[in-house]
Amino acid sequence: MELFRIKKDIPFMRHALIFNVISALTFVIAVFFLVNKGLHLSIEFTGGTVMEIAYPKPANLDTIRTTITQQGYSDIQVQSFGTAQDVIVRLPAQKGVSSAQVSEKVMAGLKAQDATVELRRVEFVGPQVGDELAHDGLMALGMVIVGIVVYLAIRFEWKFAVAAIIANLHDVVIILGFFAFFQWEFSLTVLAAVLAVLGYSVNESVVVFDRVRETFRDRRFGKLTTPEVLNHAITSTISRTIITHGSTQMMVLSMMLFGGPTIHYFAIALTIGILFGIYSSVFVAAAVAMWLGVTREDLIKPVKPKDETDGAVV
């Protein structure tokens, strides 16, 4: 399906150097904020108190969240657990205050709102658990990156693999830079969004690289230079890009605006990832492949001369 067809190729690669400089500066700024301000990690990483409560009727999460916030707690997480009646509440650790004291104070406030609320269990999540989650998350991120490099190197060529992984890491670091600058809470759901962005961004790069390979192999475009081939490939995917990313972005914006606090930062991470994923596929991945010197010969295997003697020796 195509919304429109652009007859003349847009000269994206003519401005590749300018956009690459902008990308490099944005990347450095994101790293600066990550190093200086760090991420605002959720209690899943730093430790805290986890409470499971239950209501005889569907729970009002906003009321629960407001009640606990009015008690002086911040950075809390309130979400449904299993059914609409069961709720998980996560609160950050406080010095000199035990989990039992925290749960008693919270339950007193909740019972004042609704006496039917019932406390099912209380657990203290130590920092060690957070360290394990951070370690597992970094391992998952590393495995995804290695998998993408191997996949692209096999499917295309190593220059495309290097270009794609640079573009993907560009997207991930910028997402983390946003979270560090605004000190948005970085939770497991945000980590899941970052991993999803990796897959999403590489999919866009694969689409562009596929079209680059087709153009290189098409004899009608045999006289085009590498930048002209990249321009043609990107231009021919614009209609598909608008349809795909437009529909995806509408869904993510719906989650961000109407999904509630539980998935708010998840949707924000996806929104940033989608926007920069489109940008990086064009101005980072394709441009880096061009700087690495990808040529027609890299994608077209030379034809071996046929042995007319069929191996016979005269």
Side-chain angles (χ1 to χ4, degrees), residues 56-128:
K57 56 185 179 181
N60 188 327
L61 300 183
D62 289 335
T63 302
I64 297 172
R65 195 174 289 111
T66 302
T67 302
I68 298 175
T69 303
Q70 288 174 346
Q71 292 179 323
Y73 293 102
S74 59
D75 301 331
I76 62 171
Q77 293 180 9
V78 179
Q79 60 189 106
S80 297
F81 175 69
T83 67
Q85 291 82 18
D86 299 321
V87 179
I88 285 286
V89 179
R90 296 183 175 89
L91 302 107
Q94 293 180 322
K95 289 184 179 179
V97 182
S98 67
S99 293
Q101 292 172 316
V102 171
S103 64
E104 287 177 6
K105 182 179 178 181
V106 170
M107 286 305 296
L110 295 178
K111 283 184 176 295
Q113 292 288 333
D114 187 345
T116 60
V117 62
E118 177 186 350
L119 178 64
R120 292 280 177 82
R121 66 182 173 94
V122 178
E123 292 180 0
F124 175 73
V125 181
Q128 179 62 33

Side-chain angles (χ1 to χ4, degrees), residues 157-282:
E157 205 261 345
W158 71 268
K159 294 172 186 174
F160 286 109
V162 172
I165 208 62
I166 290 175
N168 288 358
L169 290 178
H170 164 272
D171 300 342
V172 169
V173 170
I174 286 178
I175 293 174
L176 297 179
F178 268 98
F179 274 77
F181 177 74
F182 291 105
Q183 287 295 288
W184 292 331
E185 187 179 64
F186 189 86
S187 62
L188 279 179
T189 55
V190 176
L191 176 61
V194 171
L195 294 175
V197 166
L198 267 175
Y200 189 88
S201 181
V202 76
N203 178 63
E204 183 64 21
S205 299
V206 166
V207 170
V208 174
F209 290 165
D210 252 337
R211 195 56 60 91
V212 171
R213 181 169 57 184
E214 290 175 7
T215 308
F216 269 133
R217 290 177 174 175
D218 195 327
R219 293 184 178 180
R220 293 176 298 169
F221 306 108
K223 294 183 179 179
L224 295 184
T225 62
T226 297
E228 290 172 338
V229 168
L230 293 172
N231 290 334
H232 177 77
I234 297 168
T235 303
S236 61
T237 60
I238 284 182
S239 178
R240 174 256 175 207
T241 299
I242 292 175
I243 295 172
T244 304
H245 297 295
S247 56
T248 308
Q249 190 61 69
M250 283 193 293
M251 181 195 68
V252 173
L253 284 175
S254 299
M255 287 196 298
M256 187 171 69
L257 296 175
F258 308 112
T262 304
I263 59 173
H264 182 69
Y265 291 122
F266 173 80
I268 286 181
L270 286 179
T271 298
I272 299 171
I274 290 172
L275 296 177
F276 278 91
I278 300 170
Y279 167 82
S280 67
S281 298
V282 176

Side-chain angles (χ1 to χ4, degrees), residues 1 39 49 75 138 292 298:
M1 177 181 177
L39 293 172
T49 300
D75 301 331
L138 289 175
L292 289 174
D298 292 328

